[in-house]
Amino acid sequence: DDDDDDDDDEEMSNEHSARKHNRKDDEVPSDDELDLSNMSDLMSGSDGSDVSDGELNLSDEDAHANVSEDSDSIVANIEDGMAASESAQTGILEEITLKNFMSHRHMNMKFGPNVNFLCGPNGSGKSAVLVAISVCLGASIGFTNRGGTIADLIRNDTQTCEIRVRLANRGTDAYQPERYGDSIIVERSLFRNRSTKSQYRLLASDGTTVVNKTKKELNKILDTFNIQIDNPCVILMQDTSREFIASARAQDKYKFFQKATQLEKMSHDYIDSVKHLGLAKSSIEQKKAVLPAMAKEVALRKQEFDAAQSLVTLEETVKKLVIEASWADVRDAAEELSKLEHKQSQAADALAKLDETEARVLEMQRDRQADVEEANREISRVQLDLERAEHNVKTAHRESHQAGRGVREATANIRSHEANQGRLQKRLKRILDEIKKAQQAIEQSRNADNSVIQQRIQLLKQKLPEAEHQAAVTSQRHNEVQAKAQRVGEDVDALQQVVRDKEQEVRQCQSRVQRLRQQQGNRLRAFGDRMPALMQLIEQNRNRFRHTPQLIGMNVLIKDKAWSVAIESSLSQLLDQFVVDNHDQDAKLLRQLAQRANVRVNMVVCRFEERYQIPPASLPRVPDAPSIADVVDIATGPVFNALVDQRKVERSLLVRDKRRAYELVSRDSNLSSVFLPNGDRIFARNGTQVHLPSHVQQATKLADNVDQQIVELEAQIAHLTPAIHPAQERLNEAKSALARVRREVADCRREESRALSQLENLRDEIRDLEQEAQEKLAETEPDISELLESRDSIAQSIEEARSELSTLQEAEAAAKETLRPLLEAEQAAAAEVDQATTQLEKAQATLLQATTQLENANRRLQIVRQSKAKTVGNARAFEESRLEAERRLEQSTARAERAGERIDSERSVADLKEDIRCHQARLEKERRGADDTDVITARYVDAKRKYNKTQLDLRHLKELCMNLDHDLESRIEKWAAFRKVLAKRTRTYFNMFLSKRGSTGSITFDHEAGLLDINVQMDTSLSKETATQTTKSMSGGERSYATVALLLSLWEAMENPFRAMDEFDVFMDAANRKLTITLLMECARFNKSRQFIFISPLSVVDIETGPM
């Protein structure tokens, strides 16, 4: 297979032959197809200039003289010319560089101007150098006999290779030295991929300037230097010469001789010229045959042309009417354009009014938006006050509850003592009543039998211990069950709180996962679902902004993730806001885009300037606590400036310890706020330290690893969810236990009440019986001293109870005094809550009103914009109609101007068209049966032109064929004479080179039959019949020497500036090799204007080196 780039050569060489080879031999080419210039090219040199006899070194006389010249005179003349030659200046090889070519990874070699030997063992890459020279200078892959494809020439471990050859470009024959310099570098790159063609680059002598990249330019350079790269003798590969000598066919040897001397190419050129000349003569005969018919056609067309001239007057009338109608159409188009321009002016006025209305509505919308924002800020402030007031209420309620518990205990003690005092009073009264009854009934009961009463008293006293024990047991059990019920109740409350906390935590985690999934893949979704659409609109309209608005949250990056919650809590809703440069342009456009994206945006107007330079004196003097500005990366200056203005990030510190935070707030006046890791904010207000809890539990807007947060939250949900069910079961069990215990408490309370009632009844009955017995057993003068003592004792107890009651009442008064300010504080806090709630309701009402007004403004703006859009549509329609009218006017004017000069007419276009139709009908009637005048005129002119051209072409063809026939015959004769001279010179040189070894030989040519035979007499001492040998009967060394002699003879017939021979001595013995090298060196020495490259696997250390 040949190289891919051979297609380029075929395109250039076969440009004219493509059509002729596709045509049958018996077909005659037409005038356009017959290319006589090709024959002229064949008669000229390869560069397009005519080859004179002098350039062939052969005139008619010289050719016959040289044929008859004897061998001695030829040798003498040649040696004289060789000795006088100078060193080569153009076309020789100066240097070659190979990269990844065959066995060479990287190789650079420089050549001498005359003789070069390349030596090395087999497989070392000597022959690859000659293959690289051939391929780089344009030879096909098959020509080198080293493979079928490009891939065979590229190292196995690479995909491409590069060859670079430097050619000398000095002297009078230099090729464009002003562009290339004193040398030309040819570079060719080969690729293993067959879809990629090889590439040529022609560089100047500096090695970097690329002058051209086409193979056509390379072919011009090779023609200028007379480098015949497709000549098998220029670079003789290993097997080519041996095949030539060893071939048994004389025809093959003759063909090799013709290729080496370029006679074959000249022969093919002459054959093609003869064929083209025959085609030209056939064309002449065809043109002679058609001339009479063409003359008859011209006469017929002349008659038609004369008959068509009578219709000219009528056509002129129609033409004048067409011109008048065209200018009437122009008049109508101008009137229509004037009407449309008036309508467009009216639409523009209406649009201006709508623009003013829109501006007013937009201003009102901005005012309402500002009101809404102010209401939102007021609501946020009131909510903070409300949360603080509710916190104060809870604190005051807790403290008042604790104080009230003391008051209640004191009150209970007072009531207990009052009850005890009442019992003592009752007891004293009963004793006094008993004393009186005893005195009255002493006489009646003195003699009564008391035995029954005593027995009854004894029986009841026996039952008394058991009743007391039963009352104590039931009371103790009631207390135990009551304590148990309280504990179970506390457990139920704790479990309920645990379940509620876990469910709330799961719901919060699920909500955060949902929000994080929305922003997954697009961080902008953390700022709202419609934020990506708004950012896309901003990007599409960025050229309309003076400075592109910047979303604050997208320009803030946290360095230390431990402060994520604190920083997001501190920046709060500011992360959702945009920083814009100005009110009049950027803010207005951003609101319009936000409305289109259905996004409500807040903005911070801040000039887009460099970052603020914060004076160190204004910063907090706390080296161990970083500020918010220290732990975040803020991408742009405007965002940094906005955060400094709005949140004072340079003066807000981050502290891990709450106590340390309180200490810093009270100490440093430059400090704005302190934030804890959980987001709580601590700051000073009017000398009071304020602690605001954070509402941010986890950073979402500033989160940079959303996927990791989702995984952690899902793991947390998976951990919490299974724990809810056991907790719920434990809660249900605790509730069941609490219900059982409460029923048990009720049962115990009833048992205790029954036992206490039975005990009290039993004691009362015993006292009554004892009293009755005493009354009966008393004497006539009853002894009531005990009753009197009891009376005195009870009276004393009553006095003591009164004193203790007074003490308890004082304690109760003190407790109430303590409770009173707490209750007042609780009422004040509740009043603050009520006030904050009232303010919140007012702020919410204000927000509702502002929102309603904003919605009304939005609706009004929408109506105005709809009207504006409709007006703009009408204006656009008027504009399109006006443009269409202008185009119609221009087209009508152009048609009218093309038709003729302006004709003012009052007639309508329809009347003129009707008049034209009538005249055209008349003209058509007269033309019926005849062709159009223009067609008739064109046919007449065309027939006359073809007839005259055919006569002129026939005359020129006859003259050209005569000249070409004579020149071709002369040049073929000179070519035959030149062939004989080359054959004679080859024989003479061959015999002369053999004589250096003491041998003789002959070459027999048969030019008519195309045969060539070689005979060599290696030993001249023997008879000619016994010593003469054919090439097949020679030894290896003899055949190699004969090969070298023949190739040197052929080289003398070549004009190539360099020539190469591969492994010329591979089959030679030492003696033949020495003779051969001597012969090569002598030939090279006498041909200093030529460059020789010899390749040998053997050593050449005995050859002297030199500058040549």
Side-chain angles (χ1 to χ4, degrees):
D1 297 333
D2 290 342
D3 186 72
D4 296 337
D5 289 318
D6 292 343
D7 296 339
D8 300 335
D9 300 336
E10 293 176 2
E11 291 178 2
M12 291 185 289
S13 62
N14 296 333
E15 184 177 356
H16 298 292
S17 60
R19 289 180 293 175
K20 69 177 183 181
H21 291 310
N22 292 330
R23 187 176 58 245
K24 296 181 180 178
D25 294 339
D26 55 350
E27 293 179 356
V28 178
S30 63
D31 296 339
D32 296 334
E33 190 176 359
L34 185 63
D35 190 357
L36 297 178
S37 63
N38 193 31
M39 292 191 294
S40 300
D41 294 340
L42 295 174
M43 296 296 102
S44 63
S46 59
D47 58 352
S49 60
D50 291 338
V51 180
S52 64
D53 295 338
E55 288 175 323
L56 287 172
N57 296 321
L58 194 65
S59 61
D60 292 336
E61 294 78 6
D62 293 337
H64 295 290
N66 288 336
V67 171
S68 61
E69 190 178 24
D70 57 70
S71 301
D72 294 336
S73 63
I74 292 176
V75 173
N77 292 335
I78 292 171
E79 290 182 351
D80 292 341
M82 289 163 53
S85 62
E86 298 178 354
S87 61
Q89 297 293 318
T90 57
I92 65 171
L93 302 169
E94 292 184 337
E95 184 181 3
I96 184 170
T97 302
L98 304 179
K99 292 181 181 178
N100 299 322
F101 184 81
M102 297 183 69
S103 62
H104 298 285
R105 183 173 297 281
H106 187 278
M107 191 275 291
N108 179 266
M109 180 182 295
K110 297 188 178 192
F111 297 97
N114 187 221
V115 182
N116 299 271
F117 279 91
L118 275 67
C119 303
N122 290 330
S124 60
K126 305 183 300 300
S127 302
V129 176
L130 299 185
V131 174
I133 294 172
S134 301
V135 172
C136 185
L137 296 182
S140 63
I141 305 303
F143 177 78
T144 64
N145 294 326
R146 283 307 182 102
T149 62
I150 288 178
D152 297 332
L153 303 181
I154 303 175
R155 276 182 67 93
N156 293 332
D157 57 349
T158 59
Q159 298 296 319
T160 180
C161 70
E162 181 181 300
I163 312 168
R164 179 179 281 204
V165 173
R166 183 187 291 271
L167 301 175
N169 189 40
R170 293 178 289 275
T172 57
D173 295 332
Y175 181 80
Q176 299 183 5
E178 68 281 357
R179 298 178 64 196
Y180 289 95
D182 58 2
S183 63
I184 298 176
I185 299 176
V186 181
E187 180 182 291
R188 186 176 185 183
S189 301
L190 305 178
F191 304 93
R192 191 179 299 277
N193 188 352
R194 294 181 62 88
S195 62
T196 305
K197 287 190 175 183
S198 62
Q199 300 174 357
Y200 286 96
R201 292 203 311 164
L202 302 176
L203 294 86
S205 58
D206 59 4
T208 58
T209 304
V210 179
V211 181
N212 203 301
K213 292 185 179 181
T214 63
K215 192 176 180 184
K216 184 177 181 180
E217 178 75 3
L218 175 61
N219 291 335
K220 290 182 180 180
I221 295 172
L222 298 180
D223 289 343
T224 301
F225 293 163
N226 204 14
I227 297 176
Q228 306 161 8
I229 198 63
D230 56 347
N231 189 334
C233 267
V234 171
I235 299 178
L236 198 67
M237 299 300 175
Q238 294 178 4
D239 301 326
T240 306
S241 60
R242 291 195 294 273
E243 291 175 357
F244 172 69
I245 293 294
S247 176
R249 296 186 45 170
Q251 294 91 337
D252 296 337
K253 296 174 183 177
Y254 188 80
K255 287 182 179 179
F256 185 85
F257 164 74
Q258 283 192 316
K259 288 182 179 179
T261 57
Q262 296 292 300
L263 290 172
E264 184 181 44
K265 184 176 182 301
M266 296 171 64
S267 176
H268 291 163
D269 291 343
Y270 290 147
I271 291 172
D272 288 341
S273 298
V274 170
K275 184 175 180 181
H276 278 277
L277 187 59
L279 294 175
K281 291 179 179 179
S282 299
S283 178
I284 290 173
E285 295 302 323
Q286 286 185 350
K287 290 180 181 297
K288 286 181 179 179
V290 300
L291 274 177
M294 294 179 70
K296 185 177 180 181
E297 177 72 12
V298 170
L300 178 61
R301 299 306 176 195
K302 180 65 169 63
Q303 292 177 359
E304 293 178 352
F305 176 74
D306 294 338
Q309 294 301 312
S310 61
L311 300 177
V312 174
T313 303
L314 187 57
E315 289 177 350
E316 290 294 332
T317 303
V318 172
K319 183 177 179 181
K320 183 178 179 181
L321 289 172
V322 169
I323 294 172
E324 187 177 357
S326 298
W327 286 107
D329 190 31
V330 170
R331 179 199 62 208
D332 295 344
E335 292 176 355
E336 182 181 359
L337 177 61
S338 177
K339 293 178 181 178
L340 289 173
E341 287 177 345
H342 179 67
K343 291 182 179 180
Q344 189 176 14
S345 175
Q346 293 178 340
D349 294 340
L351 188 60
K353 294 180 180 179
L354 287 173
D355 286 337
E356 295 176 359
T357 304
E358 183 183 16
R360 290 196 302 271
V361 175
L362 283 173
E363 183 65 27
M364 182 173 64
Q365 185 189 39
R366 284 194 294 269
D367 295 341
R368 299 293 81 76
Q369 182 67 37
D371 294 341
V372 170
E373 294 173 357
E374 179 63 27
N376 283 324
R377 286 193 294 270
E378 180 65 18
I379 287 175
S380 300
R381 186 187 63 77
V382 172
Q383 284 178 341
L384 290 176
D385 294 341
L386 180 60
E387 292 175 358
R388 185 171 59 254
E390 289 177 347
H391 177 71
N392 294 336
V393 167
K394 290 179 180 178
T395 302
H397 178 71
R398 185 168 56 253
E399 294 175 353
S400 64
H401 180 70
Q402 292 176 356
R405 185 182 302 167
V407 173
R408 287 191 295 274
E409 290 177 355
T411 304
N413 290 333
I414 290 173
R415 290 177 181 175
S416 175
H417 281 76
E418 289 178 348
N420 187 25
Q421 187 177 8
R423 285 196 297 272
L424 289 175
Q425 292 285 356
K426 290 180 180 179
R427 186 176 177 185
L428 179 60
K429 183 180 180 181
R430 189 171 59 250
I431 290 174
L432 294 175
D433 292 339
E434 288 177 358
I435 291 173
K436 184 177 180 179
K437 288 180 180 179
Q439 291 175 350
Q440 292 177 356
I442 190 171
E443 293 298 330
Q444 297 177 3
S445 61
R446 178 176 296 171
N447 298 320
D449 189 8
N450 197 26
S451 61
V452 177
I453 295 174
Q454 290 296 328
Q455 292 177 0
R456 178 65 179 165
I457 290 173
Q458 190 66 28
L459 180 61
L460 292 175
K461 284 184 178 182
Q462 291 177 356
K463 293 181 179 180
L464 182 61
E466 183 180 357
E468 291 176 347
H469 175 71
Q470 184 65 27
V473 169
T474 53
S475 177
Q476 181 179 1
R477 187 166 181 272
H478 176 259
N479 293 332
E480 291 177 354
V481 175
Q482 184 69 31
K484 181 179 179 181
Q486 184 175 358
R487 289 195 301 273
V488 173
E490 292 175 353
D491 293 341
V492 169
D493 293 339
L495 287 174
Q496 284 180 339
Q497 186 62 36
V498 168
V499 172
R500 283 195 296 269
D501 292 343
K502 290 183 180 296
E503 289 177 347
Q504 179 66 19
E505 192 172 357
V506 169
R507 285 194 296 270
Q508 291 175 353
C509 291
Q510 290 173 345
S511 177
R512 289 200 296 270
V513 168
Q514 185 178 2
R515 289 197 301 270
L516 289 173
R517 288 192 185 281
Q518 290 177 353
Q519 72 180 83
Q520 193 176 23
N522 190 344
R523 187 185 165 198
L524 286 171
R525 292 190 177 277
F527 306 97
D529 293 338
R530 300 294 302 167
M531 187 59 68
L534 177 57
M535 294 300 292
Q536 185 176 4
L537 287 175
I538 292 173
E539 182 64 24
Q540 293 172 355
N541 294 272
R542 65 181 308 161
N543 293 332
R544 298 172 59 189
F545 289 99
R546 188 178 302 167
H547 294 284
T548 304
Q550 298 177 2
L551 181 60
I552 293 178
M554 292 298 293
N555 288 274
V556 176
L557 181 63
I558 300 176
K559 299 178 185 176
D560 189 353
K561 306 305 177 187
W563 299 106
S564 299
V565 175
I567 293 173
E568 187 158 325
S569 177
S570 66
L571 300 183
S572 186
Q573 297 178 355
L574 194 64
L575 295 172
D576 299 332
Q577 299 186 20
F578 283 86
V579 179
V580 295
D581 179 70
N582 53 82
H583 284 286
D584 53 351
Q585 179 177 343
D586 292 353
K588 179 179 180 181
L589 179 56
L590 180 58
R591 288 192 185 94
Q592 294 174 357
L593 297 179
Q595 185 175 7
R596 287 173 54 188
N598 196 18
V599 177
R600 179 175 295 177
V601 297
N602 294 323
M603 288 172 282
V604 177
V605 179
C606 178
R607 289 294 180 185
F608 277 42
E609 300 172 347
E610 296 296 330
R611 289 175 180 255
Y612 291 155
Q613 298 298 324
I614 308 299
S618 65
L619 297 176
R621 293 178 292 277
V622 185
D624 58 339
S627 68
I628 294 177
D630 294 332
V631 299
V632 296
D633 275 335
I634 303 175
T636 64
V639 174
F640 177 82
N641 298 341
L643 293 179
V644 169
D645 293 337
Q646 299 294 323
R647 287 294 185 271
K648 300 179 178 58
V649 294
E650 83 286 6
R651 296 196 291 120
S652 297
L653 300 185
L654 301 171
V655 178
R656 298 185 183 278
D657 184 57
K658 184 189 296 185
R659 184 178 301 172
R660 172 68 169 161
Y662 279 112
E663 177 184 352
L664 293 177
V665 167
S666 62
R667 188 183 68 185
D668 198 332
S669 60
N670 290 337
L671 184 61
S672 173
S673 298
V674 176
F675 288 91
L676 301 178
N678 63 354
D680 288 358
R681 178 189 176 195
I682 299 174
F683 62 96
R685 177 186 292 171
N686 298 327
T688 303
Q689 295 180 349
V690 181
H691 183 178
L692 292 182
S694 172
H695 63 279
V696 178
Q697 296 181 354
Q698 187 172 7
T700 57
K701 297 178 182 177
L702 297 179
D704 58 345
N705 193 347
V706 176
D707 295 336
Q708 182 63 28
Q709 288 195 20
I710 292 176
V711 171
E712 293 175 357
L713 288 173
E714 289 178 344
Q716 187 176 355
I717 293 172
H719 176 72
L720 291 173
T721 302
I724 295 176
H725 183 66
Q728 186 66 45
E729 289 182 350
R730 290 196 300 273
L731 175 62
N732 295 334
E733 292 175 357
K735 287 181 178 180
S736 301
L738 179 61
R740 291 194 300 272
V741 170
R742 285 178 176 174
R743 287 194 298 272
E744 189 174 354
V745 167
D747 294 341
C748 290
R749 187 182 296 112
R750 286 193 295 271
E751 290 178 2
E752 181 184 16
S753 179
R754 284 196 300 271
L756 292 175
S757 177
Q758 291 176 359
L759 177 60
E760 189 66 27
N761 293 334
L762 184 60
R763 285 176 176 173
D764 291 342
E765 188 175 357
I766 290 174
R767 284 194 299 270
D768 294 339
L769 290 175
E770 286 179 344
Q771 182 178 358
E772 183 179 356
Q774 289 176 0
E775 292 176 353
K776 289 182 178 181
L777 294 175
E779 296 178 350
T780 307
E781 294 293 334
D783 188 5
I784 59 174
S785 60
E786 293 180 1
L787 292 177
L788 294 176
E789 290 177 0
S790 297
R791 181 193 64 186
D792 296 337
S793 175
I794 291 172
Q796 185 177 359
S797 298
I798 290 172
E799 289 297 328
E800 291 176 355
R802 285 176 179 173
S803 177
E804 188 175 355
L805 178 61
S806 177
T807 303
L808 289 175
Q809 287 176 345
E810 292 176 356
E812 181 185 19
K816 288 183 179 180
E817 288 296 326
T818 303
L819 178 61
R820 186 176 298 108
L822 295 176
L823 291 175
E824 291 176 354
E826 182 179 1
Q827 292 174 358
E832 290 181 2
V833 171
D834 295 338
Q835 183 180 1
T837 303
T838 304
Q839 292 177 355
L840 179 62
E841 291 175 354
K842 291 181 179 179
Q844 289 175 344
T846 302
L847 175 62
L848 178 62
Q849 181 181 2
T851 304
T852 304
Q853 292 175 353
L854 179 60
E855 291 175 353
N856 294 334
N858 289 336
R859 284 194 296 271
R860 185 176 177 187
L861 180 61
Q862 184 177 4
I863 294 171
V864 171
R865 286 179 173 172
Q866 289 175 353
S867 301
K868 183 179 176 181
K870 183 176 179 181
T871 305
V872 169
N874 294 335
R876 190 178 296 111
F878 291 150
E879 176 66 14
E880 292 175 354
S881 300
R882 186 185 65 79
L883 293 175
E884 180 63 28
E886 286 182 349
R887 285 194 295 270
R888 179 169 171 251
L889 179 59
E890 291 175 358
Q891 293 172 358
S892 301
T893 304
R895 285 196 301 270
E897 289 175 348
R898 287 195 301 270
E901 296 181 358
R902 186 180 187 94
I903 299 176
D904 294 328
S905 175
E906 299 297 332
R907 300 176 61 187
S908 65
V909 177
D911 292 342
L912 291 171
K913 286 183 177 180
E914 179 64 23
D915 202 356
I916 292 171
R917 188 188 63 77
C918 294
H919 283 80
Q920 285 179 341
R922 179 183 171 190
L923 184 61
E924 183 66 25
K925 182 177 180 181
E926 294 184 6
R927 282 180 176 173
R928 192 171 297 142
D931 291 333
D932 185 71
T933 304
D934 293 338
V935 174
I936 293 172
T937 303
R939 282 203 299 251
Y940 169 64
V941 172
D942 186 58
K944 189 173 182 179
R945 181 186 58 78
K946 287 183 179 180
Y947 179 73
N948 294 335
K949 183 177 182 301
T950 303
Q951 284 184 322
L952 183 61
D953 290 345
L954 185 60
R955 184 166 61 254
H956 289 168
L957 277 174
K958 286 179 180 180
E959 294 174 358
L960 181 60
C961 286
M962 289 175 61
N963 294 333
L964 289 176
D965 204 359
H966 178 268
D967 291 343
L968 184 60
E969 184 178 354
S970 174
R971 287 182 178 273
I972 290 176
E973 291 176 357
K974 293 178 181 180
W975 173 79
F978 182 61
R979 180 179 61 185
K980 291 180 181 180
V981 171
L982 290 179
K984 183 69 174 179
R985 289 167 64 89
T986 303
R987 282 196 299 267
T988 302
Y989 275 113
F990 183 64
N991 197 24
M992 182 183 69
F993 293 143
L994 286 177
S995 67
K996 302 290 184 179
R997 188 183 180 278
S999 305
T1000 185
S1002 64
I1003 301 177
T1004 305
F1005 290 92
D1006 185 350
H1007 297 299
E1008 298 299 328
L1011 303 176
L1012 185 151
D1013 288 325
I1014 300 175
N1015 294 298
V1016 179
Q1017 185 178 356
M1018 303 306 297
D1019 190 355
T1020 56
S1021 64
L1022 299 177
S1023 63
K1024 185 175 182 180
E1025 288 76 10
T1026 59
T1028 302
Q1029 296 175 301
T1030 62
T1031 55
K1032 286 192 174 182
S1033 61
M1034 297 178 189
S1035 66
E1038 293 171 344
R1039 186 184 300 115
S1040 297
Y1041 185 86
T1043 301
V1044 171
L1046 176 62
L1047 294 174
L1048 289 175
S1049 303
L1050 293 175
W1051 277 358
E1052 294 303 326
M1054 293 164 39
E1055 295 297 326
N1056 205 74
F1058 64 86
R1059 58 281 315 271
M1061 187 183 300
D1062 188 9
E1063 296 193 359
F1064 63 91
D1065 56 351
V1066 67
F1067 297 117
M1068 292 183 181
D1069 53 18
N1072 282 320
R1073 184 172 184 272
K1074 183 175 182 181
L1075 289 172
T1076 302
I1077 292 176
T1078 302
L1079 176 61
L1080 295 175
M1081 295 297 292
E1082 289 179 357
C1083 290
R1085 190 178 301 113
F1086 286 111
N1087 284 276
K1088 293 182 180 179
S1089 63
R1090 299 289 181 262
Q1091 186 184 43
F1092 298 87
I1093 301 172
F1094 303 113
I1095 294 181
S1096 172
L1098 305 176
S1099 174
V1100 290
V1101 295
D1102 53 343
I1103 299 177
E1104 295 183 0
T1105 61
M1108 300 300 291

